Amino acid sequence: MDGLMMDFSLTLPALLRRAETFFGNAVIATRLPDKSFHHYTYADMTSRARQLAVALQRAGLERGDRVATLCWNHYQHLEAYLGIPSGGFVLHTLNLRLHPDDLAYIASHAGDRAVIVDRSLVPLLERFRERTPIENVFVVEDSYEELLAGADPAEWRDPELHENEAAAMCYTSGTTGRPKGVVYSHRSTWLHTLGVAAVGPLDFNISQRDVILPVVPMFHANAWGYPYIATMLGAKQVYPGPHLDPESLLDDFEQEGVTVTAGVPTIWMGILQLLDANPGRWDLSALRAMLVGGSAAPRAMIAGFKQRHGLHICHGWGMTESSPVASLSDLHPDLASGDIDIRFDFQAKQGIPLPLIEWRVRDDAGNEVPWDGVSMGELEMRGPWVAAGYYDTPEQADRWTPDGWFKTGDIVSMHPRGYMQIQDRSKDVIKSGGEWISSVALENQLMAHPAVAEAAVIAIPDDKWFERPLAAIVLKEGATATGEELREFLEPHFAKWWLPDRYEFVAEIPKTGVGKFRKTALREQFVQEQQPA
Ligand code: ADP
């Protein structure tokens, strides 16, 4: 017997309608390039999103055509997030931190026909545009405004999309191989939005009363869905523009009364250092939750924010392939109210899956490993907002198992209570004497040392053990420490053979375009240094 419910398509025009009908007065604030603030309302935003949809159609674009953005986080980018898919086109966010050669490949592979670009990024666009099929260029605060001016929002007609049509695309930055395109559907976008909003990070359910500032770039992995989540809820939104330094962000939090924010650990490490150096300088009493993901949030950072500044971190995990949020460290009630040290231990894990996301962990032989908190294996996942394939990249089909699970490439262990802990990415794993050493666990402990600002642990080839760990360390300003001291600091927490043999003090750890440690660059540097001259 079938259910007798409506077959209602989950498409983004429904989000647009909701936002304009119920939240017209809600505010969207943007820090402009000159550092002043721009404010307008949801009524303005939704009207301009409609204008954009109409204007793109007028410009000759057709249903399913890819429209790229090359932009920082700001209100025009939000208009694109809603207007492009609502017009039946596909939003393709380009990562402005990539090399022009990669951007040329990505924009061509995706078949982008138009691009909305920040004025400050036009020189970057010019370095690759000729190698792409892009015909139309709309410059924010310039020809983009002309484009909108010529379109009447009332002309917008719902294209009556099917929920499985593409809404957006994002390429993974692909530290190995060529970038791979993930294609989000309207349905997957809606379900991700609902799924992330449904899980409140430790008593902090997000609502209309919140003020949400996504630090995480809109040019990578949908800004973790926050532009859509905030719009669905009708929350005030704040966008930092190109100003991502800790001081500007703290000013934004204070001035706009931010309650919820989200970004990668590198950002929060910088913010924590600045707060430690200037206690009481910013009034952050409104700030309820900071979501951290993209790479592991060090336990010492989570504890530092809570104990020294009363600020709460919620740790999440995901990938471009999972829209991206797949888990949050929502603590079971007994853990949330229990011993603070145990609570920090659990917050430092990558959490339990969101509703409808499922996990399993398998070893090299394909056997599922026990959820005992120790055994390691590769995490596989499935769910309605997990990619089923990459766009036009058949050679990558083996990332999916024959029974339909996505192989994440993350090596994890599972706590018996379901909390996942990333030990490494498979390509970063250190295999010493046939056994895995978790670089992430070593890094977390090193970053708990009072003199250490950042630590990255990498594998260095070794004749006897195959690989051995090397720790690259950035010291805090004015602080000192020796390799010997750091080794002693690690000793109580790890088996002897896990301890790095070498400690290299560096000015900075190279980072990827989205702020993660670029371990390939470190490996090149230190492996080369090791070669006999
Ligand atoms: P890339 O890092 O290749 O640009 P993604 O942004 O999609 O691509 O990154 C996904 C990966 O980031 C995950 O597979 C995982 O290795 C890492 N990651 C994401 N969140 C976390 C986290 N909270 N802790 C540790 N690693 C994380």
Side-chain angles (χ1 to χ4, degrees), residues 174-176 409 411 424-429 520 523:
T175 19
T176 51
I411 306 300
D424 251 312
R425 301 186 82 161
S426 52
K427 54 183 177 286
D428 290 334
V429 134
T520 42
R523 274 197 290 268

Side-chain angles (χ1 to χ4, degrees), residues 442 446 452 455-457 468-473 481-491 494 496 498-506 526:
L442 290 166
L446 284 165
V452 175
V457 176
R468 291 292 304 151
L470 172 152
I473 308 285
T482 63
E484 197 45 45
E485 274 168 46
L486 294 179
R487 194 182 157 90
E488 275 169 26
F489 184 73
L490 292 177
E491 234 163 3
F494 300 100
K496 250 206 165 69
W498 272 47
L499 301 179
D501 304 320
R502 280 173 67 191
Y503 299 80
E504 297 284 346
F505 295 89
V506 296
F526 290 113

Side-chain angles (χ1 to χ4, degrees), residues 95 171-176 220-221 224 265 292-297 315-322 324 327 348-350 399 408-411 422 424-427 440 512 514 516:
N95 182 340
Y171 280 67
T172 65
S173 26
T175 19
T176 51
H220 188 69
W224 300 351
V292 183
S295 44
H315 195 183
W317 169 87
M319 315 178 68
T320 306
E321 289 87 338
S322 55
S327 72
K349 299 181 198 299
Q350 280 71 14
R399 289 293 298 275
T408 64
D410 281 342
I411 306 300
I422 300 257
D424 251 312
R425 301 186 82 161
S426 52
K427 54 183 177 286
V440 176
T512 69
V514 288
K516 305 184 192 198

Side-chain angles (χ1 to χ4, degrees), residues 273 445-455 473-482 485-486 489 505:
Q273 277 190 49
Q445 191 55 36
L446 284 165
M447 287 192 264
H449 190 282
V452 175
E454 282 185 334
I473 308 285
V474 182
L475 291 174
K476 287 186 186 153
E477 230 177 277
T480 53
T482 63
E485 274 168 46
L486 294 179
F489 184 73
F505 295 89

Side-chain angles (χ1 to χ4, degrees), residues 263-276:
V264 293
T266 338
I267 297 273
W268 305 118
M269 300 287 274
I271 287 185
L272 182 58
Q273 277 190 49
L274 194 61
L275 286 178
D276 283 347

